[in-house]
């Protein structure tokens, strides 16, 4: 098997595992078919999601990017750019036995080296002890924030992308390790406790790296009907080499509390995050988004803010110090497909700014940016 | 024509009395096999079963939800009445669950005939049908708070 236990509680997943799982699933003898049939009866299911999006930035003195892993975006390089939001993901699930299942997800999106090479987002084995208790081993999604576990899946989000103020405090989109989830009822409410441990390695533009070690966390989600509350706490150490910065094994912890309410006709959610960090100093961020639904349209309004409370031992200023007002509308214009139009107005407050890169001499670190996004999200 | 409508109205009225729930003509009602012990669920309990958040009925018996196919107006009516979600909102919910590897949507019946068959085959199964398709082999589940 391609999973090697390298340390207690930590596993290293080779890309080979995903390829093996994918190959096994598309084997001609396997009963692979699209998910909308009677999936409950078949061993394998194949599904996917994607976004076709274009972004325009009002500022030609820097490139707007939607993740710190992208090396160019909209603004300086091109006035309009498809690279920030366009992506495609495929997922294969296999029910191996009644209790053991495997999942592999490949996502193709614009990366640090300027291409859309697919990367293995998840590849894990899940053992279901009871319908309410499971353990997963391999590359797994970690539910750091309410919106972050589906950050690649535009169709599952009310907006075009998760607020960048939140993304800036997301240590990893996935983790190589283990997690466990236990769900129980408290009266009519449902409480889910989720604990995870693992690591995350990634590459940044210009030969930068971001490695997260000793990631450990616990997340509690309480749901009652349309209401839910999400609380998380995690600790980690990270190495960061990026634009002259070299940080080794810096301890960080992240605390978050969020709530959401979605009775159907309207929805509202918000989250508050505190991230103490020895090297870069403690950051605070929050967002709030709300909207309502009229037939197939769902207009929304969001606010987000991220800032550094005080510098850490490196003495560096904030990686991100900005506030954004987001106005947009989602239109579910056909089955399994939506179209979103979104305008973000971001006020910069002098941070280094990992989401406005390739900064030119005319870039104003205290300026106001206007970002227009049009995206079509789909699932299959 | 008029007689037929009157008959349907009367049938709906009888079903409403029998089930203790208010049902309008053509409305989706939650149903189980008449052999099932389940008679009443709260709105939240019913929603949790169909959203995959609860795997048992209150009291501990396994619950197996069955959906009608996507695009069915009975399905859309059931979810709108139960939790105010449109077909697209429900799809967005399942998209989130599926792509976090946390679950699978209920098994789907292609039509009400298959739905009825699946319900009769398994007393743990729970589904929904247009009120006028419910017969003595099935029981309408009262949804408290609807």
């Amino acid at each position: 098997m391609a999973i090697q236990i390298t340390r207690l509680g930590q596993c290293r997943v080779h890309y080979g595992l995903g390829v093996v799982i994918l190959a096994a699933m598309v084997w001609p003898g396997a009963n692979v078919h699209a998910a909308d049939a009677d999936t409950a009866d078949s061993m394998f299911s194949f599904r996917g999601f994607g976004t076709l999006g274009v972004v325009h930035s009002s500022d030609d003195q820097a490139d707007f990017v939607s993740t710190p892993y992208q090396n160019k975006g909209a603004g300086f390089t091109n006035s309009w750019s498809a690279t920030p939001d366009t992506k495609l993901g495929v997922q294969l699930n296999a029910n191996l036995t009644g209790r053991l299942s495997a999942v592999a997800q490949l996502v193709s999106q614009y990366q640090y080296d300027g291409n859309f090479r697919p990367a293995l987002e998840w590849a894990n084995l899940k053992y279901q002890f009871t319908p309410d208790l499971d353990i997963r081993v391999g590359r797994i999604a970690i539910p750091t924030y309410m919106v972050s576990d589906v950050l690649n899946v535009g169709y599952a989000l009310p907006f075009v992308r998760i607020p960048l103020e939140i993304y800036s405090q997301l240590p990893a989109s996935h983790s190589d390790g283990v997690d466990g989830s236990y769900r129980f009822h408290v009266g009519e409410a449902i409480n889910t406790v989720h604990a995870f441990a693992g690591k995350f390695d990634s590459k940044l533009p210009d030969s930068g790296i971001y490695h997260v070690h000793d990631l450990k966390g616990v997340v509690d989600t309480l749901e009652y009907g349309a209401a839910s509350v999400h609380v998380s706490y995690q600790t980690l150490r990270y190495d960061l080499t990026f634009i002259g910065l070299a940080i080794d094994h810096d301890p960080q912890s992240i605390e978050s509390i969020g709530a959401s309410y979605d009775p159907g006709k309207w929805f509202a959610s918000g989250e508050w995050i505190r991230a103490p960090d020895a090297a870069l100093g403690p950051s605070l961020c929050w967002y709030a988004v709300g909207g309502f639904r009229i037939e197939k349209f769902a207009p929304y309004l969001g606010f987000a803010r991220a800032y550094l409370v005080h510098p850490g031992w490196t003495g560096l200023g904030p990686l991100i110090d900005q506030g954004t007002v987001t106005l947009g509308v989602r239109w579910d214009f056909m089955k399994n497909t939506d179209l979103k139009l979104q305008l973000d107005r971001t006020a910069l407050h002098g941070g280094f700014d990992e989401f406005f890169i390739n900064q030119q001499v005319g870039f104003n670190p205290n300026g106001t940016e206007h970002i227009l996004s049009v995206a079509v999200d789909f699932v299959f | 024509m008029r007689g037929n409508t009157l008959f349907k109205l009367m049938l709906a009225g009888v079903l409403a009395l029998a089930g203790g729930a208010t049902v309008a003509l053509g409305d989706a009602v939650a149903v189980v096999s008449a052999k099932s012990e389940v008679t009443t669920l709260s709105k939240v309990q019913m929603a949790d079963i169909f959203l995959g958040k609860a795997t048992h009925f209150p009291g501990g018996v396994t619950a197996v939800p069955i959906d009608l196919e996507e695009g069915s107006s009975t399905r859309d009516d059931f979810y709108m009445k139960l939790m105010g979600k449109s077909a697209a909102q429900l799809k967005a919910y399942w998209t989130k669950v599926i792509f976090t590897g946390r679950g699978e949507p209920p098994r789907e019946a292609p039509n009400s005939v298959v739905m009825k068959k699946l319900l009769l085959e398994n007393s743990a199964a729970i589904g929904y049908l247009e009120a006028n398709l419910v017969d003595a082999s099935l029981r309408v589940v009262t949804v408290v708070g609807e």
Side-chain angles (χ1 to χ4, degrees):
Chain A
M1 200 65 200
I3 301 176
Q4 298 173 344
I5 308 289
T6 52
R7 244 193 289 171
L8 192 64
Q10 287 196 358
C11 303
R12 182 170 170 77
V13 181
H14 289 293
Y15 284 89
L17 174 64
V19 176
V20 167
I21 292 176
L22 283 168
M25 287 170 168
V26 297
W27 189 257
N31 177 25
V32 176
H33 58 78
D36 50 352
D38 52 340
T39 44
D41 294 328
S42 69
M43 189 176 177
F44 297 100
S45 61
F46 174 76
R47 293 184 170 96
F49 57 85
T51 298
L52 290 168
V54 288
V55 177
H56 169 72
S57 167
S58 62
D59 188 344
D60 63 2
Q61 294 296 302
D63 271 339
F64 169 81
V65 289
S66 68
T67 82
Y69 306 113
Q70 296 169 347
N71 69 349
K72 61 180 194 286
F76 167 67
T77 306
N78 292 106
S79 169
W80 287 86
S81 173
T83 58
D85 294 320
T86 299
K87 55 182 76 83
L88 179 70
V90 290
Q91 181 173 317
L92 282 152
N93 287 64
N95 289 313
L96 304 171
T97 69
R99 293 184 164 186
L100 186 68
S101 59
V103 62
Q105 187 186 95
L106 277 174
V107 177
S108 170
Q109 62 186 324
Y110 195 68
Q111 295 199 31
Y112 66 95
D113 54 359
N115 71 47
F116 279 88
R117 188 180 54 251
L120 188 64
E121 185 67 15
W122 311 337
N124 61 67
L125 290 170
K126 176 160 94 169
Y127 190 79
Q128 197 88 45
F129 292 91
T130 72
D132 295 319
L133 176 66
D134 65 65
I135 280 188
R136 297 188 292 183
V137 179
R139 180 164 290 185
I140 51 185
I142 53 169
T144 302
Y145 309 128
M146 283 193 304
V147 289
S148 61
D149 49 0
V150 282
L151 69 98
N152 290 322
V153 189
Y155 191 81
L157 299 171
F159 21 56
V160 171
R161 65 188 85 81
I162 76 166
L164 301 181
E165 287 79 1
I166 302 301
Y167 200 123
S168 71
Q169 297 303 325
L170 183 71
S173 66
H174 57 246
S175 155
D176 293 341
V178 295
D179 81 343
S181 172
Y182 179 58
R183 182 168 65 180
F184 57 94
H185 287 248
V186 185
E188 282 201 358
I190 298 167
N191 193 72
T192 309
V193 185
H194 193 129
F196 55 89
K199 63 195 278 288
F200 172 74
D201 290 340
S202 63
K203 289 179 177 168
L204 299 170
D206 304 316
S207 310
I209 55 132
Y210 177 56
H211 291 177
V212 174
H213 324 271
D214 305 328
L215 177 65
K216 296 181 206 77
V218 61
V219 178
D220 191 82
T221 309
L222 184 67
E223 294 168 277
Y224 176 70
S228 72
V229 176
H230 182 106
V231 182
S232 80
Y233 177 76
Q234 58 188 293
T235 62
L236 57 98
R237 285 178 177 273
Y238 70 85
D239 306 331
L240 176 67
T241 309
F242 192 39
I243 319 209
L245 200 62
I247 294 171
D248 194 36
H249 264 63
D250 182 46
Q252 190 186 19
S253 64
I254 300 169
E255 299 142 26
S256 78
I257 180 161
S260 104
Y261 188 62
D262 185 348
K265 293 256 179 258
W266 58 279
F267 61 95
S269 68
E271 210 156 7
W272 178 89
I273 295 152
R274 185 171 163 268
D277 178 324
L280 297 171
S283 298
L284 277 181
C285 55
W286 57 265
Y287 76 89
V289 61
F292 49 94
R293 300 189 178 96
I294 317 153
E295 299 293 317
K296 293 178 183 302
F297 294 93
Y300 54 89
L301 177 64
F303 300 91
R305 180 80 174 91
Y307 63 97
L308 183 69
V309 180
H310 59 76
W313 61 256
T314 56
L316 287 163
L319 280 182
I320 181 169
D321 189 345
Q322 67 181 47
T324 299
V325 180
T326 299
L327 187 63
V329 62
R330 172 187 174 134
W331 176 27
D332 283 289
F333 70 103
M334 59 182 271
K335 193 182 170 187
N336 300 341
T337 313
D338 72 53
L339 172 71
K340 288 171 189 157
L341 179 66
Q342 178 172 316
L343 179 66
D344 294 285
R345 181 182 185 278
T346 297
L348 304 174
H349 303 290
F352 160 83
D353 233 307
E354 57 194 306
F355 298 101
F356 291 93
I357 62 165
N358 301 331
Q359 294 174 6
Q360 306 301 302
V361 286
F363 178 73
N364 178 1
N366 289 293
T368 299
E369 308 286 341
H370 291 90
I371 310 296
L372 181 67
S373 312
V374 183
V376 173
D377 302 306
F378 55 90
V379 290
F380 58 92
Chain B
M1 186 67 194
R2 175 173 283 189
N4 187 34
T5 310
L6 191 65
F7 171 72
K8 280 188 180 174
L9 276 169
M10 281 169 65
L11 183 68
V14 169
L15 285 167
L17 287 172
T22 338
V23 282
L25 192 68
D27 262 4
V29 288
V31 282
V32 291
S33 157
K35 288 185 216 123
S36 165
E37 306 278 299
V38 178
T39 54
T40 307
L41 288 174
S42 77
K43 214 170 167 172
V44 170
Q45 285 164 342
M46 181 75 85
D48 287 346
I49 288 169
F50 278 90
L51 294 176
K53 295 177 184 177
T55 54
H56 295 84
F57 290 112
V61 182
T62 306
V64 180
I66 300 172
D67 264 331
L68 284 171
E69 255 187 350
E70 279 181 45
S72 145
S73 61
T74 309
R75 172 183 164 128
D76 294 349
D77 180 48
F78 176 73
Y79 281 103
M80 185 50 76
K81 216 165 54 160
L82 185 63
M83 55 187 96
K85 282 194 197 303
S86 67
Q89 284 168 259
L90 193 69
K91 188 72 180 187
Y93 168 81
W94 280 112
T95 296
K96 186 166 176 161
V97 175
I98 289 163
F99 292 117
T100 46
R102 301 242 65 104
E104 292 282 326
R107 179 175 178 177
E108 286 183 358
N111 54 54
S112 55
V113 175
V114 178
M115 169 68 89
K116 214 181 245 187
K117 180 172 157 280
L118 292 171
L119 291 170
L120 295 178
E121 274 172 11
N122 183 358
S123 62
I126 180 163
Y128 46 85
L129 285 171
E130 275 183 60
N132 55 346
L133 297 177
V134 179
D135 60 30
S137 64
L138 300 169
R139 178 189 303 120
V140 174
V141 179
T142 309
V143 183
V144 177
E146 197 161 64

